[in-house]
Amino acid sequence: MSFIITPTPVAGAPVIWLIWNGDKVLLRAGTLPTQRDALALTATRFIGMAGEHACFSGEIVGAPPADAHWLGLREALLLHDFPMQQALSRARLLTLFDRQHRFCGACAAPLLDNGHDMGKRCPHCDTLYYPKVSPAMMVLIVRGRELLLARGPHFAEGVYSALAGFVEAGETLEQCVHREAHEEVGVHIESLRYAGSQQWPFPHSLMLAFTADYAGGEVVAQEEEIEDARWFDIDALPPLPSKISLAHWLITRTAERIRAATGR
Ligand SMILES: [Zn+2]
C-alpha cells in the first residue's frame, strides 16, 4: 500500500476526510472520519489516494462542534501507517499554504488559485507562489561497526540521533552534509550515499537521509546545538527517536546492513 498523488480520486473509492483546526486533525469515534458531515469547511480539496482510500482535506470555519475530538499532528502521525502519514503531511502542508498565502507578498493584492496546479498567482504583479517545502539533510556517519550519534538539548532523555540540519540558500545537498558534519561534530566524511527521504511537516521540511564513512577528525560537539556526540557500537545503541522518524529507520537499517555484511 502506498500514497499516490493524482488529480482525481479513483471512482467509487472509500473516502477519508482530514479536517483541520489549526494544526489539529478531527477524529470521530477514534478514527479519521469518512464523511465531512454538516461541517462548514474552507480550502477543501482532494489530496491523493492512500492505499484504496481517497483522501480529502479541509479546514474548519468558525467554532468547532462541541463533540469533536482533535488530535495533534505528531500524535496523528504516530497513530497511522506510512501512506496515511504522507496524506496527513500533504494535507497539512497545503492547508498551511492556503492560510499563509491569501495576499501577494510583493504588492498585497489578493491571490488567485492557478487552477492547473497547486500554485497561486498574483493578478496584479504576476508573482507565483507554491506550497513551501524546505530541504533538510540527515547524515549517519559510520566507522566500522560504530555509528556517530548526537543529542540536542531538546531531545527526550537519553535519546541520540543522526546529525541533521537545514540546507542553506545556494548550497548543494552534498555541501550541506559535509558542512554540518564538520560544524556539529568536527569530523570529515567521505563516500556519501543517499538512503531515503521523508516529508516532515513541522512546519514544512523534506528530510533527505544519507550515510557516510568517517574520514578523520576528532569528535568535538558544537556547543550551541549539540549536547553530546559519541560513537556507539551497533550492538549497544542508545534510545533512538520515534519509530515514525526517518532517523529511526536510517539508524536501524544501517545497523542491520553492517550486521549482514560482517556476518555477526
Ligand atoms: Zn502582487
Side-chain angles (χ1 to χ4, degrees):
M1 201 166 86
S2 58
F3 177 72
I4 297 168
I5 296 172
T6 61
T8 51
V10 173
V15 167
I16 284 183
W17 274 93
L18 308 176
I19 296 170
W20 300 88
N21 180 20
D23 63 353
K24 293 187 164 63
V25 68
L26 178 70
L27 290 193
R28 289 271 189 220
T31 60
L32 296 166
T34 55
Q35 296 173 32
R36 60 180 285 181
D37 299 326
L39 294 169
L41 301 178
T42 182
T44 55
R45 53 159 67 94
F46 169 65
I47 55 155
M49 299 293 300
E52 62 170 354
H53 290 96
C55 299
F56 290 81
S57 76
E59 188 157 27
I60 200 146
V61 178
D67 65 340
H69 179 66
W70 299 94
L71 195 65
L73 178 58
R74 204 172 285 268
E75 292 72 33
L77 291 175
L78 273 170
L79 266 186
H80 291 94
D81 59 13
F82 190 62
M84 194 54 73
Q85 288 173 13
Q86 273 193 283
L88 284 160
S89 295
R90 178 166 166 79
R92 170 65 179 154
L93 291 172
L94 296 180
T95 306
L96 198 63
F97 175 62
D98 278 331
R99 197 187 305 151
Q100 295 180 342
H101 293 81
R102 290 153 55 217
F103 300 95
C104 178
C107 78
L111 296 177
L112 302 175
D113 286 335
N114 261 350
H116 62 279
D117 61 18
M118 288 295 168
K120 292 177 190 279
R121 187 180 64 82
C122 174
H124 184 246
C125 73
D126 261 351
T127 302
L128 286 170
Y129 297 88
Y130 284 92
K132 199 170 183 178
V133 176
S134 306
M137 71 82 218
M138 173 179 295
V139 62
L140 180 59
I141 303 171
V142 178
R143 184 177 71 180
R145 287 175 60 84
E146 292 179 313
L147 307 178
L148 182 54
L149 302 178
R151 57 170 282 113
H154 306 298
F155 283 23
E157 197 179 340
V159 169
Y160 281 73
S161 186
L163 305 176
F166 285 102
V167 179
E168 291 280 346
E171 186 176 49
T172 67
L173 277 174
E174 295 85 345
Q175 289 167 339
C176 176
V177 175
H178 285 274
R179 177 180 56 76
E180 289 282 352
H182 194 247
E183 276 179 11
E184 293 196 347
V185 292
V187 303
H188 296 286
I189 56 175
E190 61 187 7
S191 306
L192 198 58
R193 295 173 294 276
Y194 174 71
S197 67
Q198 181 184 41
Q199 290 281 345
W200 193 245
F202 302 99
H204 36 64
S205 295
L206 171 64
M207 293 297 310
L208 298 131
F210 297 83
T211 58
D213 293 336
Y214 170 75
E218 196 164 328
V219 177
V220 180
Q222 182 192 38
E223 271 182 27
E224 303 88 62
E225 287 189 42
I226 306 289
E227 196 175 272
D228 185 35
R230 61 177 78 172
W231 295 102
F232 289 93
D233 187 277
I234 55 168
D235 291 325
L237 292 175
L240 301 177
S242 152
K243 281 191 176 149
I244 62 165
S245 68
L246 188 64
H248 187 102
W249 172 83
L250 179 67
I251 295 165
T252 53
R253 191 189 76 143
T254 304
E256 281 164 22
R257 288 197 164 180
I258 294 170
R259 273 188 207 107
T262 56
R264 62 191 170 100

